[in-house]
Amino acid sequence: MPGPTDAVFLPLAVADPGAALRLALWAVAGTSAGGLLAYGIGAQAFDEVGRPLLHLVGVSDRMLDTSRAAFERRGWLLVLLSTISPLPSKAVCIGAGAFGVPVALFVPALVAGRMLRFGTLAVVVRLAGPRLLDWLSRRAGVPPATTRIPARPLPE
């Protein structure tokens, strides 16, 4: 799913805390696949497409050289930090591909960071899901909802 995975993961996990860990694994798989795709875009299309677009919005070659140096020194760490923080991780993944972060360092950093992020969220939701849902209901001024999505019968 393009866009912020947390915006889909968190409501689903809060609605069904028992499924939070399974949902986290799906989120890790999907965001890792997206990160690999972004890495490929950076590796294959940065010089032809990315650099000219960045120049159009005022990014100079000097700024790009500074970014390249940062990725050459600690690219895997930038990837790891972007996956557990609010930084735009897809942009960092494109940069990792564009500036030559080795795949052998990129993939573990990407997957480990995503596992840490979604695993932590899943554990928090799993442990505090019902209380969190009740708190959110009170804050929104609506009656408390159930903590599980009721099963619907399959159409015949």
Side-chain angles (χ1 to χ4, degrees), residues 30-124:
T31 57
S32 296
L36 286 168
L37 181 62
Y39 180 93
I41 290 169
Q44 298 299 315
F46 182 75
D47 287 329
E48 298 82 20
V49 178
R51 184 179 302 274
L53 287 174
L54 289 171
H55 286 156
L56 283 175
V57 297
V59 177
S60 68
D61 282 329
R62 187 172 188 206
M63 292 169 72
L64 290 174
D65 289 341
T66 301
S67 295
R68 179 181 300 280
F71 274 98
E72 287 173 355
R73 279 192 316 272
R74 294 189 180 87
W76 69 271
L77 186 58
L78 292 172
V79 172
L80 179 69
L81 291 175
S82 76
T83 61
I84 60 174
S85 73
L87 292 173
S89 62
K90 293 299 185 275
V92 173
C93 291
I94 290 171
F99 299 132
V101 174
V103 173
L105 296 175
F106 172 78
V107 171
L110 176 69
V111 173
R114 287 303 183 183
M115 288 176 70
L116 183 60
R117 180 184 183 116
F118 289 110
T120 300
L121 290 172
V123 168
V124 168

Coordinates of all heavy atoms in Angstrom, one line a residue, residues 30-124:
G30 N 5.3 -5.7 3.6 CA 4.9 -4.7 2.6 C 5.9 -3.5 2.6 O 6.3 -3.1 1.5
T31 N 6.2 -3.0 3.7 CA 7.1 -1.8 3.7 C 8.5 -2.2 3.3 O 9.2 -1.4 2.7 CB 7.1 -1.1 5.1 OG1 7.6 -2.1 6.1 CG2 5.8 -0.6 5.5
S32 N 9.0 -3.4 3.6 CA 10.3 -3.8 3.1 C 10.3 -4.0 1.6 O 11.3 -3.6 0.9 CB 10.7 -5.2 3.8 OG 10.8 -5.0 5.2
A33 N 9.2 -4.6 1.1 CA 9.1 -4.7 -0.4 C 9.1 -3.3 -1.0 O 9.8 -3.0 -2.1 CB 7.9 -5.4 -0.8
G34 N 8.4 -2.3 -0.4 CA 8.4 -1.0 -0.9 C 9.7 -0.3 -0.8 O 10.2 0.4 -1.7
G35 N 10.4 -0.6 0.2 CA 11.8 0.0 0.4 C 12.8 -0.6 -0.6 O 13.6 0.2 -1.2
L36 N 12.6 -1.9 -0.9 CA 13.5 -2.5 -2.0 C 13.2 -1.9 -3.4 O 14.1 -1.6 -4.2 CB 13.3 -4.0 -2.0 CG 13.9 -4.7 -0.9 CD1 13.5 -6.2 -0.8 CD2 15.5 -4.7 -1.0
L37 N 11.9 -1.6 -3.6 CA 11.5 -1.0 -4.9 C 12.1 0.4 -4.9 O 12.6 0.8 -6.0 CB 10.0 -1.0 -5.0 CG 9.4 -0.3 -6.3 CD1 9.9 -1.1 -7.5 CD2 7.9 -0.3 -6.2
A38 N 12.0 1.2 -3.8 CA 12.5 2.5 -3.8 C 14.0 2.5 -4.0 O 14.6 3.4 -4.7 CB 12.2 3.2 -2.5
Y39 N 14.7 1.5 -3.4 CA 16.2 1.4 -3.6 C 16.5 1.2 -5.1 O 17.4 1.8 -5.6 CB 16.7 0.2 -2.7 CG 18.1 -0.1 -2.9 CD1 19.0 0.5 -1.9 CD2 18.7 -0.9 -3.8 CE1 20.4 0.2 -2.0 CE2 20.0 -1.1 -3.9 CZ 20.9 -0.6 -3.0 OH 22.2 -0.8 -3.1
G40 N 15.7 0.3 -5.7 CA 15.9 0.1 -7.1 C 15.7 1.3 -8.0 O 16.5 1.6 -8.9
I41 N 14.7 2.1 -7.6 CA 14.5 3.3 -8.4 C 15.7 4.3 -8.2 O 16.1 4.9 -9.2 CB 13.2 4.0 -7.9 CG1 12.0 3.2 -8.3 CG2 13.1 5.4 -8.4 CD1 10.6 3.6 -7.7
G42 N 16.2 4.4 -7.0 CA 17.3 5.2 -6.7 C 18.6 4.7 -7.5 O 19.3 5.5 -8.1
A43 N 18.8 3.4 -7.5 CA 19.9 2.9 -8.2 C 19.8 3.0 -9.7 O 20.9 3.2 -10.4 CB 20.1 1.4 -7.8
Q44 N 18.6 2.9 -10.2 CA 18.5 2.9 -11.7 C 18.1 4.2 -12.3 O 18.5 4.4 -13.5 CB 17.4 1.8 -12.1 CG 17.8 0.4 -11.7 CD 19.1 0.0 -12.3 OE1 19.3 0.1 -13.5 NE2 20.0 -0.6 -11.5
A45 N 17.4 5.1 -11.6 CA 16.9 6.3 -12.3 C 17.3 7.6 -11.6 O 16.8 8.6 -12.1 CB 15.3 6.2 -12.3
F46 N 18.2 7.6 -10.7 CA 18.5 8.8 -10.0 C 19.1 9.8 -10.9 O 18.7 11.0 -11.0 CB 19.3 8.6 -8.7 CG 19.6 9.8 -8.0 CD1 18.6 10.4 -7.2 CD2 20.8 10.5 -8.0 CE1 18.8 11.6 -6.5 CE2 21.1 11.6 -7.4 CZ 20.1 12.2 -6.6
D47 N 20.2 9.4 -11.6 CA 20.9 10.4 -12.4 C 20.1 10.9 -13.6 O 20.2 12.1 -13.9 CB 22.2 9.7 -12.9 CG 23.2 9.6 -11.8 OD1 23.3 10.4 -10.9 OD2 24.0 8.6 -11.9
E48 N 19.2 10.1 -14.2 CA 18.4 10.5 -15.3 C 17.2 11.3 -14.9 O 16.8 12.3 -15.5 CB 18.0 9.3 -16.2 CG 19.1 8.6 -16.8 CD 19.7 7.5 -15.8 OE1 19.1 7.2 -14.8 OE2 20.9 7.1 -16.0
V49 N 16.6 10.9 -13.8 CA 15.3 11.5 -13.4 C 15.4 12.3 -12.1 O 15.0 13.5 -12.0 CB 14.2 10.4 -13.2 CG1 12.9 11.0 -12.8 CG2 14.0 9.7 -14.6
G50 N 15.9 11.7 -11.0 CA 16.0 12.3 -9.7 C 16.8 13.5 -9.6 O 16.3 14.6 -9.1
R51 N 18.0 13.5 -10.1 CA 18.9 14.7 -10.0 C 18.2 15.9 -10.7 O 18.2 17.0 -10.1 CB 20.3 14.3 -10.6 CG 21.3 15.5 -10.4 CD 22.6 15.1 -11.0 NE 23.2 13.9 -10.4 CZ 23.9 13.9 -9.3 NH1 24.2 15.0 -8.7 NH2 24.4 12.8 -8.8
P52 N 17.8 15.7 -12.0 CA 17.1 16.9 -12.6 C 15.9 17.4 -11.9 O 15.7 18.6 -11.8 CB 16.7 16.4 -14.0 CG 17.6 15.2 -14.3 CD 17.9 14.6 -12.9
L53 N 15.1 16.5 -11.3 CA 13.9 17.0 -10.5 C 14.4 17.7 -9.3 O 13.8 18.7 -8.9 CB 13.0 15.8 -10.1 CG 12.2 15.2 -11.3 CD1 11.5 13.9 -10.8 CD2 11.2 16.2 -11.8
L54 N 15.4 17.2 -8.6 CA 15.9 17.9 -7.4 C 16.4 19.3 -7.7 O 16.3 20.2 -7.0 CB 16.9 17.0 -6.7 CG 16.3 15.8 -6.0 CD1 17.4 14.9 -5.5 CD2 15.4 16.2 -4.9
H55 N 17.1 19.4 -8.9 CA 17.6 20.7 -9.3 C 16.5 21.6 -9.5 O 16.6 22.8 -9.2 CB 18.5 20.5 -10.6 CG 19.8 19.9 -10.3 ND1 20.5 19.3 -11.3 CD2 20.6 19.8 -9.2 CE1 21.7 18.8 -10.8 NE2 21.7 19.2 -9.5
L56 N 15.4 21.1 -10.1 CA 14.2 22.0 -10.3 C 13.6 22.6 -9.0 O 13.1 23.7 -9.0 CB 13.1 21.3 -11.0 CG 13.3 21.0 -12.5 CD1 12.2 20.1 -13.1 CD2 13.3 22.3 -13.3
V57 N 13.7 21.9 -7.9 CA 13.2 22.4 -6.7 C 14.3 23.0 -5.8 O 14.0 23.3 -4.6 CB 12.4 21.3 -5.9 CG1 11.2 20.8 -6.6 CG2 13.3 20.1 -5.5
G58 N 15.4 23.3 -6.4 CA 16.4 24.0 -5.7 C 17.5 23.3 -4.9 O 18.3 23.9 -4.1
V59 N 17.6 22.0 -5.1 CA 18.6 21.2 -4.5 C 19.9 21.3 -5.4 O 19.9 20.9 -6.5 CB 18.2 19.7 -4.3 CG1 19.3 18.9 -3.7 CG2 16.9 19.6 -3.4
S60 N 21.0 21.7 -4.8 CA 22.2 21.9 -5.5 C 23.0 20.7 -5.6 O 22.8 19.7 -4.8 CB 23.0 23.1 -4.9 OG 23.5 22.7 -3.7
D61 N 24.0 20.7 -6.5 CA 24.9 19.5 -6.5 C 25.7 19.4 -5.3 O 26.1 18.3 -4.8 CB 25.9 19.7 -7.7 CG 25.2 19.3 -9.1 OD1 24.3 18.4 -9.0 OD2 25.6 19.9 -10.1
R62 N 26.0 20.6 -4.6 CA 26.7 20.6 -3.4 C 25.9 19.8 -2.3 O 26.5 19.1 -1.5 CB 27.0 22.0 -3.0 CG 27.9 22.1 -1.8 CD 28.3 23.5 -1.5 NE 29.4 23.5 -0.5 CZ 29.6 24.5 0.3 NH1 28.8 25.6 0.2 NH2 30.5 24.5 1.2
M63 N 24.6 20.1 -2.2 CA 23.8 19.4 -1.3 C 23.7 17.9 -1.5 O 23.8 17.1 -0.6 CB 22.4 20.0 -1.3 CG 22.3 21.4 -0.7 SD 20.7 22.2 -1.1 CE 19.7 21.4 0.1
L64 N 23.7 17.5 -2.8 CA 23.7 16.1 -3.2 C 25.0 15.5 -2.8 O 25.0 14.3 -2.4 CB 23.4 16.0 -4.7 CG 22.0 16.3 -5.1 CD1 21.8 16.2 -6.6 CD2 21.0 15.4 -4.4
D65 N 26.1 16.2 -3.0 CA 27.4 15.7 -2.6 C 27.5 15.4 -1.1 O 28.1 14.4 -0.6 CB 28.6 16.6 -3.0 CG 28.8 16.6 -4.6 OD1 28.3 15.6 -5.2 OD2 29.4 17.6 -5.1
T66 N 26.9 16.3 -0.3 CA 26.9 16.2 1.1 C 26.1 14.9 1.5 O 26.5 14.1 2.4 CB 26.3 17.4 1.8 OG1 27.1 18.6 1.4 CG2 26.2 17.3 3.3
S67 N 24.9 14.8 0.8 CA 24.1 13.6 1.1 C 24.9 12.3 0.7 O 24.8 11.3 1.4 CB 22.8 13.7 0.3 OG 22.0 14.7 0.7
R68 N 25.5 12.3 -0.5 CA 26.3 11.2 -0.9 C 27.3 10.8 0.1 O 27.5 9.6 0.5 CB 27.0 11.4 -2.3 CG 27.8 10.3 -2.8 CD 28.5 10.5 -4.1 NE 27.6 10.8 -5.1 CZ 26.9 9.9 -5.8 NH1 27.0 8.6 -5.5 NH2 26.1 10.3 -6.8
A69 N 28.0 11.8 0.7 CA 29.1 11.5 1.7 C 28.4 10.9 2.9 O 29.0 10.0 3.5 CB 29.8 12.8 2.0
A70 N 27.3 11.4 3.3 CA 26.6 10.8 4.5 C 26.2 9.3 4.3 O 26.4 8.5 5.1 CB 25.4 11.6 4.9
F71 N 25.7 9.0 3.1 CA 25.3 7.7 2.7 C 26.6 6.8 2.6 O 26.5 5.6 3.0 CB 24.5 7.6 1.5 CG 23.0 7.9 1.7 CD1 22.5 9.1 1.5 CD2 22.2 6.8 2.1 CE1 21.1 9.3 1.7 CE2 20.9 7.0 2.3 CZ 20.3 8.3 2.1
E72 N 27.7 7.3 2.1 CA 28.9 6.5 2.0 C 29.4 6.2 3.4 O 30.0 5.1 3.6 CB 29.9 7.2 1.2 CG 29.6 7.2 -0.3 CD 30.5 8.1 -1.2 OE1 31.4 8.8 -0.6 OE2 30.3 8.1 -2.4
R73 N 29.3 7.1 4.3 CA 29.9 6.8 5.7 C 29.0 5.9 6.5 O 29.4 5.0 7.2 CB 30.1 8.2 6.4 CG 31.3 8.9 6.1 CD 31.6 10.1 7.0 NE 30.4 10.9 7.4 CZ 30.0 11.9 6.7 NH1 30.6 12.3 5.6 NH2 28.9 12.6 7.0
R74 N 27.7 6.2 6.5 CA 26.7 5.5 7.4 C 25.4 5.3 6.8 O 24.4 5.5 7.4 CB 26.5 6.4 8.7 CG 27.8 6.5 9.5 CD 27.5 7.1 10.8 NE 28.8 7.2 11.6 CZ 29.6 8.2 11.5 NH1 29.4 9.2 10.7 NH2 30.7 8.2 12.2
G75 N 25.4 4.8 5.5 CA 24.2 4.6 4.8 C 23.2 3.7 5.5 O 22.0 3.9 5.6
W76 N 23.7 2.5 6.0 CA 22.9 1.6 6.6 C 22.2 2.1 7.9 O 21.1 1.9 8.2 CB 23.7 0.3 7.0 CG 24.7 0.5 8.1 CD1 26.0 0.9 7.9 CD2 24.5 0.4 9.5 NE1 26.6 1.0 9.2 CE2 25.7 0.7 10.1 CE3 23.4 0.0 10.3 CZ2 25.8 0.7 11.5 CZ3 23.5 0.0 11.6 CH2 24.7 0.3 12.2
L77 N 23.0 3.0 8.6 CA 22.4 3.6 9.8 C 21.3 4.6 9.5 O 20.3 4.7 10.1 CB 23.5 4.3 10.6 CG 23.2 4.9 12.0 CD1 22.6 3.8 12.9 CD2 24.4 5.5 12.6
L78 N 21.5 5.4 8.4 CA 20.5 6.3 7.9 C 19.2 5.5 7.6 O 18.1 5.9 7.9 CB 20.9 7.1 6.7 CG 22.0 8.1 7.0 CD1 22.5 8.7 5.6 CD2 21.5 9.2 7.9
V79 N 19.4 4.4 6.9 CA 18.2 3.5 6.6 C 17.5 3.0 7.8 O 16.3 3.1 8.0 CB 18.6 2.4 5.7 CG1 17.5 1.4 5.5 CG2 19.1 2.9 4.3
L80 N 18.3 2.5 8.8 CA 17.7 2.0 10.0 C 17.0 3.1 10.8 O 15.8 2.9 11.2 CB 18.8 1.4 10.9 CG 18.4 0.9 12.3 CD1 17.6 -0.4 12.1 CD2 19.6 0.6 13.1
L81 N 17.6 4.3 10.9 CA 16.9 5.4 11.6 C 15.7 5.8 10.9 O 14.7 6.2 11.6 CB 17.9 6.5 11.9 CG 19.1 6.2 12.8 CD1 20.0 7.4 12.9 CD2 18.5 5.9 14.2
S82 N 15.7 5.9 9.6 CA 14.5 6.3 8.9 C 13.3 5.4 9.0 O 12.2 5.8 9.0 CB 14.8 6.6 7.4 OG 14.9 5.3 6.7
T83 N 13.6 4.1 9.2 CA 12.5 3.1 9.3 C 11.8 3.1 10.7 O 10.7 2.6 10.8 CB 13.0 1.7 9.0 OG1 14.0 1.3 10.0 CG2 13.5 1.6 7.6
I84 N 12.5 3.6 11.7 CA 11.9 3.7 13.1 C 11.5 5.1 13.5 O 11.0 5.2 14.6 CB 12.9 3.0 14.1 CG1 14.2 3.8 14.2 CG2 13.1 1.6 13.8 CD1 15.1 3.3 15.3
S85 N 11.7 6.0 12.6 CA 11.4 7.4 13.0 C 10.4 7.9 12.0 O 10.0 7.3 11.0 CB 12.7 8.3 12.9 OG 13.0 8.4 11.5
P86 N 9.9 9.2 12.2 CA 8.9 9.8 11.3 C 9.6 10.3 10.0 O 8.9 10.8 9.1 CB 8.3 10.9 12.0 CG 8.8 10.8 13.4 CD 10.0 9.9 13.5
L87 N 10.9 10.1 9.8 CA 11.5 10.5 8.6 C 10.9 9.8 7.4 O 10.5 8.6 7.5 CB 13.0 10.2 8.6 CG 13.9 11.0 9.6 CD1 15.3 10.4 9.6 CD2 13.9 12.4 9.2
P88 N 10.9 10.4 6.2 CA 10.4 9.7 5.0 C 11.3 8.6 4.6 O 12.3 8.8 3.9 CB 10.3 10.8 4.0 CG 11.3 11.8 4.4 CD 11.4 11.7 5.9
S89 N 11.0 7.4 5.0 CA 11.9 6.2 4.7 C 12.0 5.9 3.2 O 13.1 5.5 2.8 CB 11.5 5.0 5.5 OG 10.2 4.6 5.2
K90 N 11.0 6.1 2.5 CA 11.1 5.8 1.0 C 12.1 6.8 0.4 O 12.9 6.3 -0.5 CB 9.7 6.0 0.3 CG 8.7 5.0 0.7 CD 9.1 3.5 0.4 CE 8.0 2.5 0.7 NZ 8.0 2.1 2.1
A91 N 12.1 8.0 0.8 CA 13.1 8.9 0.2 C 14.5 8.5 0.6 O 15.5 8.6 -0.2 CB 12.9 10.4 0.7
V92 N 14.7 8.0 1.8 CA 16.0 7.5 2.3 C 16.4 6.3 1.5 O 17.5 6.1 1.1 CB 16.0 7.3 3.8 CG1 17.3 6.6 4.3 CG2 15.8 8.6 4.6
C93 N 15.4 5.4 1.2 CA 15.7 4.2 0.5 C 16.1 4.6 -1.0 O 17.0 3.9 -1.5 CB 14.5 3.3 0.5 SG 14.1 2.5 2.1
I94 N 15.5 5.5 -1.5 CA 15.9 6.0 -2.9 C 17.3 6.5 -2.8 O 18.1 6.2 -3.7 CB 14.9 7.1 -3.4 CG1 13.6 6.4 -3.8 CG2 15.5 7.8 -4.6 CD1 12.4 7.4 -4.1
G95 N 17.6 7.3 -1.8 CA 19.0 7.8 -1.6 C 20.0 6.7 -1.4 O 21.1 6.8 -1.9
A96 N 19.6 5.7 -0.7 CA 20.5 4.6 -0.5 C 20.9 3.9 -1.8 O 22.0 3.5 -2.0 CB 19.9 3.6 0.5
G97 N 19.9 3.7 -2.6 CA 20.1 3.2 -4.0 C 20.9 4.1 -4.8 O 21.9 3.7 -5.5
A98 N 20.6 5.4 -4.8 CA 21.3 6.4 -5.6 C 22.7 6.5 -5.3 O 23.6 6.7 -6.1 CB 20.5 7.7 -5.5
F99 N 23.0 6.5 -4.0 CA 24.4 6.7 -3.5 C 25.2 5.5 -3.2 O 26.2 5.5 -2.5 CB 24.3 7.7 -2.3 CG 23.7 9.0 -2.7 CD1 22.7 9.6 -1.8 CD2 24.1 9.7 -3.8 CE1 22.2 10.8 -2.2 CE2 23.5 10.9 -4.1 CZ 22.5 11.5 -3.3
G100 N 24.7 4.3 -3.6 CA 25.4 3.1 -3.6 C 25.6 2.4 -2.2 O 26.6 1.7 -2.0
V101 N 24.6 2.5 -1.3 CA 24.7 1.7 -0.1 C 24.6 0.2 -0.5 O 23.7 -0.2 -1.3 CB 23.5 2.0 0.9 CG1 23.5 1.1 2.1 CG2 23.6 3.5 1.3
P102 N 25.6 -0.6 -0.1 CA 25.5 -2.0 -0.5 C 24.2 -2.7 -0.1 O 23.8 -2.5 1.0 CB 26.7 -2.6 0.2 CG 27.6 -1.5 0.5 CD 26.7 -0.3 0.7
V103 N 23.7 -3.5 -1.0 CA 22.4 -4.2 -0.7 C 22.6 -5.1 0.5 O 21.7 -5.2 1.3 CB 22.0 -5.1 -1.9 CG1 20.8 -6.0 -1.6 CG2 21.7 -4.2 -3.1
A104 N 23.8 -5.7 0.7 CA 24.0 -6.5 1.9 C 23.9 -5.7 3.2 O 23.7 -6.3 4.3 CB 25.4 -7.2 1.8
L105 N 24.1 -4.4 3.2 CA 23.9 -3.6 4.4 C 22.5 -3.0 4.4 O 21.9 -2.8 5.5 CB 24.9 -2.5 4.5 CG 26.4 -2.9 4.6 CD1 27.3 -1.7 4.5 CD2 26.6 -3.7 5.9
F106 N 22.0 -2.7 3.2 CA 20.7 -2.0 3.1 C 19.5 -2.9 3.6 O 18.7 -2.5 4.4 CB 20.4 -1.6 1.7 CG 19.0 -1.1 1.4 CD1 18.7 0.2 1.8 CD2 18.1 -1.9 0.8 CE1 17.4 0.6 1.6 CE2 16.8 -1.5 0.6 CZ 16.5 -0.2 1.0
V107 N 19.5 -4.2 3.1 CA 18.3 -5.0 3.4 C 18.2 -5.3 4.9 O 17.2 -5.2 5.5 CB 18.4 -6.3 2.6 CG1 17.4 -7.3 3.0 CG2 18.2 -6.0 1.1
P108 N 19.3 -5.8 5.6 CA 19.2 -6.0 7.1 C 18.8 -4.7 7.8 O 18.0 -4.8 8.8 CB 20.6 -6.5 7.5 CG 21.2 -6.9 6.3 CD 20.7 -6.1 5.1
A109 N 19.3 -3.6 7.5 CA 18.9 -2.4 8.2 C 17.4 -2.0 7.9 O 16.7 -1.7 8.9 CB 19.8 -1.2 7.7
L110 N 17.0 -2.2 6.7 CA 15.6 -2.0 6.4 C 14.6 -2.9 7.2 O 13.7 -2.4 7.8 CB 15.4 -2.1 4.9 CG 13.9 -2.0 4.4 CD1 13.5 -0.5 4.5 CD2 13.9 -2.5 2.9
V111 N 14.9 -4.2 7.1 CA 14.0 -5.2 7.7 C 14.1 -5.1 9.3 O 13.1 -5.1 9.9 CB 14.4 -6.6 7.3 CG1 13.6 -7.6 8.0 CG2 14.1 -6.7 5.8
A112 N 15.3 -4.9 9.8 CA 15.4 -4.8 11.3 C 14.7 -3.5 11.8 O 14.0 -3.6 12.8 CB 16.9 -4.7 11.7
G113 N 14.9 -2.4 11.1 CA 14.2 -1.2 11.5 C 12.7 -1.3 11.5 O 11.9 -0.9 12.4
R114 N 12.2 -1.9 10.4 CA 10.7 -2.1 10.3 C 10.2 -3.1 11.3 O 9.1 -2.9 11.8 CB 10.4 -2.6 8.8 CG 10.5 -1.5 7.8 CD 9.6 -0.4 8.2 NE 9.6 0.7 7.2 CZ 9.0 1.8 7.4 NH1 8.3 2.1 8.5 NH2 9.1 2.8 6.5
M115 N 11.0 -4.1 11.6 CA 10.5 -5.1 12.6 C 10.5 -4.4 14.0 O 9.6 -4.7 14.7 CB 11.5 -6.3 12.6 CG 11.3 -7.2 11.4 SD 12.4 -8.6 11.4 CE 11.8 -9.6 12.8
L116 N 11.5 -3.6 14.2 CA 11.5 -2.9 15.5 C 10.3 -1.9 15.6 O 9.6 -1.9 16.6 CB 12.8 -2.1 15.7 CG 13.0 -1.3 17.0 CD1 13.0 -2.3 18.2 CD2 14.3 -0.6 16.9
R117 N 10.0 -1.2 14.6 CA 8.9 -0.2 14.6 C 7.6 -0.9 14.7 O 6.8 -0.6 15.7 CB 8.9 0.6 13.3 CG 7.8 1.6 13.3 CD 7.8 2.4 11.9 NE 6.8 3.4 11.9 CZ 7.0 4.7 11.8 NH1 8.3 5.1 11.7 NH2 6.0 5.5 11.8
F118 N 7.3 -1.8 13.8 CA 5.9 -2.5 13.9 C 5.8 -3.5 15.0 O 4.7 -3.7 15.5 CB 5.6 -3.1 12.5 CG 5.3 -2.0 11.5 CD1 6.2 -1.8 10.4 CD2 4.2 -1.2 11.6 CE1 6.0 -0.8 9.5 CE2 4.0 -0.2 10.6 CZ 4.9 0.0 9.6
G119 N 6.9 -4.1 15.4 CA 6.9 -5.0 16.5 C 6.6 -4.3 17.8 O 5.8 -4.8 18.6
T120 N 7.2 -3.2 18.0 CA 6.9 -2.4 19.2 C 5.5 -1.9 19.2 O 4.8 -2.0 20.2 CB 7.9 -1.1 19.3 OG1 9.2 -1.6 19.3 CG2 7.6 -0.3 20.5
L121 N 5.0 -1.4 18.1 CA 3.6 -0.9 18.0 C 2.7 -2.1 18.3 O 1.7 -1.9 19.0 CB 3.3 -0.3 16.7 CG 4.0 1.0 16.4 CD1 3.7 1.4 14.9 CD2 3.4 2.1 17.3
A122 N 3.0 -3.3 17.7 CA 2.1 -4.4 17.9 C 2.1 -4.8 19.4 O 1.0 -5.2 19.9 CB 2.6 -5.6 17.1
V123 N 3.2 -4.9 20.1 CA 3.2 -5.2 21.5 C 2.4 -4.2 22.3 O 1.7 -4.6 23.2 CB 4.7 -5.4 22.0 CG1 4.7 -5.5 23.5 CG2 5.3 -6.6 21.3
V124 N 2.6 -3.0 22.0 CA 1.9 -1.9 22.8 C 0.4 -2.1 22.6 O -0.4 -2.1 23.5 CB 2.4 -0.5 22.4 CG1 1.4 0.6 22.9 CG2 3.8 -0.3 22.9

